[in-house]
Amino acid sequence: MNCKVEVLGFQHFYSNYSLVFKVFTRQKGYVLLRIDSGYDDQNKYIIFLDANKLARILSPKDYFNFDNIHDFTENQEFWHTSKVDQCIQGFDNCQRSPIPLSDISFFDNEIRYTNGITRLNWLLSYGAEIIPAKTDVDSVRVLQDLFGANTFEAKTLKTYFDEYSKLTYY
């Protein structure tokens, strides 16, 4: 694929198989992310986001830098430091237990985060240039057009699972 992100293959994780991605960050090196099997594989897509395009449009309430995390959490009532601490701990252990992909959509002219805003912020803060994420069939084209990494095509989960079904990563 690309030195910024790579599909490693399948790993047995809990009761599912997970497709594992290796994502390069400038400050933390490589981290591992995953998408579990068992979703609506025909209607869910994996999209590769260009971090620079994405960071330009995130609202201040959605974006923070992990380097200044204590300033941020003291000033934001809605943000729970336990969530941030769990994210940091998760990335510290991602070589053993890959982090789930963020789940995003596009609705009413804005990005919506079903799950994973903290993970997305961690990746942006530490210099990921390309970020794989999960999205729905209704959002994939607009997200690809606005924020997609030009070198990657969004594909259904089923397509990825079929393509990499014989590649096992341990």
Side-chain angles (χ1 to χ4, degrees):
M1 267 192 159
N2 180 311
C3 65
K4 309 289 183 201
V5 65
E6 178 182 356
V7 179
L8 295 180
F10 279 97
Q11 177 183 30
H12 189 60
F13 189 74
Y14 294 120
S15 61
N16 291 326
Y17 278 93
S18 301
L19 188 59
V20 179
F21 298 84
K22 183 178 177 181
V23 177
F24 178 75
T25 66
R26 284 188 299 277
Q27 287 87 355
K28 299 286 185 174
Y30 286 99
V31 296
L32 299 182
L33 303 175
R34 75 173 200 274
I35 180 73
D36 298 331
S37 61
Y39 287 100
D40 184 5
D41 296 349
Q42 286 289 73
N43 294 313
K44 290 291 186 175
Y45 284 76
I46 295 173
I47 186 168
F48 293 88
L49 304 169
D50 181 311
N52 292 322
K53 292 177 187 176
L54 186 62
R56 282 195 293 265
I57 61 89
L58 288 178
S59 71
K61 73 177 181 60
D62 291 334
Y63 179 70
F64 63 90
N65 190 311
F66 267 75
D67 290 336
N68 303 325
I69 192 63
H70 296 297
D71 293 340
F72 182 84
T73 54
E74 288 173 14
N75 295 323
Q76 302 292 330
E77 292 177 24
F78 70 92
W79 207 261
H80 304 287
T81 51
S82 64
K83 186 175 181 180
V84 170
D85 291 341
Q86 288 173 355
C87 181
I88 292 168
Q89 184 178 30
F91 275 104
D92 285 347
N93 295 315
C94 72
Q95 301 302 324
R96 262 187 309 114
S97 179
I99 303 295
L101 295 183
S102 295
D103 192 351
I104 63 172
S105 60
F106 196 83
F107 182 74
D108 263 352
N109 271 345
E110 66 181 34
I111 291 183
R112 301 288 173 103
Y113 308 94
T114 306
N115 194 349
I117 182 90
T118 311
R119 285 171 260 158
L120 194 62
N121 272 286
W122 189 98
L123 290 163
L124 290 170
S125 293
Y126 291 117
E129 293 179 33
I130 298 173
I131 302 171
K134 180 176 59 166
T135 192
D136 58 67
V137 68
D138 296 326
S139 301
V140 67
R141 286 296 142 221
V142 70
L143 287 172
Q144 180 69 36
D145 290 346
L146 294 174
F147 312 110
N150 294 334
T151 55
F152 296 96
E153 179 186 355
K155 298 178 187 178
T156 65
L157 295 181
K158 182 180 180 342
T159 301
Y160 270 101
F161 291 152
D162 290 348
E163 283 180 20
Y164 290 94
S165 64
K166 302 222 181 329
L167 184 59
T168 303
Y169 167 75
Y170 294 98

